[in-house]
Amino acid sequence: MAAGRVKKKKWFTLYAPPVLGSMEIGESPAFEQKELLGRFVTLNLMALTRNVRNQDFNIKFEISELKDKDSAGSKIIEFYMNPSSVKRIIRKKKDRIDDSFALTTSDGTKVRIKPVIITATNLSAANQTKIRKAARYYLYSKVRNTSYNDILAALINHSLKKDMVSFLNLAAPVDRVEIRHFGLEKNIRSKELTEADFSGFEPPKEKPKPKKKPAAKSEAKEEQAESEEQGEKPEEKKEKPKKKSAEPEKTKLAEEPEEPEIEE
């Protein structure tokens, strides 16, 4: 009896979601195309963007859709920072502030976000709590008004952490902010941040800059310009009286002596 034919696996091309330009991210073997669904692919962000600045971050994809006969699409389920890279940003005489909480994006996606904040100097416990509260408020306001893909785009181009540093510096000096984890929340029953968590919290505001007093010369010039516009002639400068010298006036030259009269 002849042996049955052995079925060979085929290679299928995998593509990234539109947030990364639907670029090709690799290939995966399978007997049938439907076997690709649910598989995971992890790639370094530097390999995707060709930017050395992104070498500390990884992106985890999940194959979520079937396209042509030989290809499949994916979605991003996790954006995270290498643990070794997190350790490298720690410095002496600076504090590390970690946090983790769940939020819901504007398109109804429940996510887990874990920021890490490096202060500029050693801060008191009260100031560290102040920074942690301000970071939660900023991310809560940002995530709930932004879609899942737009947040991923802000993480990839580093615009989110730049804006966050500027905001936190209004509360206390901050040196660096990184999002060490952002992705889909696995625990559906986890508690999310709500507006009630920020009751009584006043977000930090930029202090108004003191107004500079105009110089006296500029005021005089403005008054002169106003008088010229009204047709008034500028007042002539009065000559200051010359100071009398303390030295006595020099005596005039001696007069010529009179000729003596000769009596006859």
Side-chain angles (χ1 to χ4, degrees):
M1 184 177 177
R5 291 184 178 180
V6 178
K7 192 174 183 180
K8 294 182 179 180
K9 290 184 177 181
K10 293 174 59 178
W11 287 92
F12 296 89
T13 306
L14 308 178
Y15 292 94
V19 68
L20 286 172
S22 300
M23 62 185 300
E24 182 179 341
I25 59 174
E27 293 181 334
S28 180
F31 291 109
E32 296 181 2
Q33 188 182 24
K34 62 182 181 180
E35 295 178 1
L36 298 172
L37 294 175
R39 289 187 180 181
F40 301 100
V41 179
T42 302
L43 294 174
N44 187 267
L45 187 58
M46 183 183 69
L48 298 171
T49 59
R50 307 295 180 186
N51 189 346
V52 182
R53 292 177 57 195
N54 298 327
Q55 64 182 341
D56 296 331
F57 303 93
N58 294 329
I59 291 183
K60 188 175 182 179
F61 301 89
E62 181 183 0
I63 309 303
S64 57
E65 60 176 332
L66 303 178
K67 293 188 174 182
D68 300 332
K69 293 181 180 180
D70 299 329
S71 62
S74 63
K75 65 179 181 180
I76 298 175
I77 62 171
E78 188 179 359
F79 171 96
Y80 65 95
M81 191 175 186
N82 295 324
S84 59
S85 301
V86 177
K87 293 179 181 179
R88 283 201 300 268
I89 65 176
I90 309 301
R91 296 289 184 270
K92 290 182 179 180
K93 297 182 179 180
K94 297 183 180 183
D95 294 322
R96 170 181 172 176
I97 302 174
D98 288 280
D99 206 352
S100 176
F101 45 88
L103 294 170
T104 301
T105 62
S106 62
D107 54 359
T109 305
K110 192 173 182 180
V111 297
R112 168 70 58 175
I113 187 166
K114 299 178 182 180
V116 55
I117 303 164
I118 308 299
T119 61
T121 57
N122 291 123
L123 299 178
S124 62
N127 281 331
Q128 290 185 31
T129 302
K130 191 176 180 180
I131 290 179
R132 185 179 287 104
K133 195 80 171 179
R136 284 193 168 200
Y137 176 82
Y138 175 83
L139 291 172
Y140 170 76
S141 304
K142 184 78 174 178
V143 171
R144 71 170 183 169
N145 296 317
T146 312
S147 65
Y148 179 73
N149 287 331
D150 289 342
I151 295 172
L152 285 171
L155 290 172
I156 292 171
N157 60 27
H158 305 288
S159 62
L160 179 66
K161 66 180 183 181
K162 289 180 182 178
D163 296 340
M164 191 172 173
V165 168
S166 302
F167 180 79
L168 295 181
N169 273 323
L170 301 177
V174 171
D175 181 50
R176 186 169 179 175
V177 172
E178 295 291 351
I179 305 299
R180 62 185 180 91
H181 172 87
F182 176 83
L184 301 178
E185 175 61 13
K186 298 177 182 178
N187 186 5
I188 302 175
R189 298 180 180 179
S190 60
K191 186 180 178 182
E192 301 178 27
L193 288 182
T194 60
E195 292 184 3
D197 295 322
F198 303 101
S199 59
F201 173 74
E202 294 183 2
K205 297 180 181 179
E206 188 174 359
K207 296 180 181 179
K209 296 181 181 179
K211 295 182 180 179
K212 294 182 179 180
K213 293 183 179 180
K217 291 183 179 180
S218 61
E219 290 181 356
K221 288 181 180 180
E222 289 177 1
E223 291 178 0
Q224 185 177 355
E226 289 178 0
S227 62
E228 288 178 357
E229 289 178 358
Q230 295 174 1
E232 299 178 1
K233 294 182 179 179
E235 296 181 0
E236 296 180 357
K237 295 182 179 179
K238 296 181 180 180
E239 294 183 358
K240 295 182 179 179
K242 294 181 180 179
K243 293 183 179 180
K244 294 182 179 181
S245 59
E247 298 179 358
E249 295 182 357
K250 293 182 178 180
T251 56
K252 295 181 180 180
L253 295 174
E255 296 179 356
E256 295 180 359
E258 296 181 357
E259 295 182 358
E261 294 179 0
I262 302 173
E263 294 181 0
E264 291 179 359

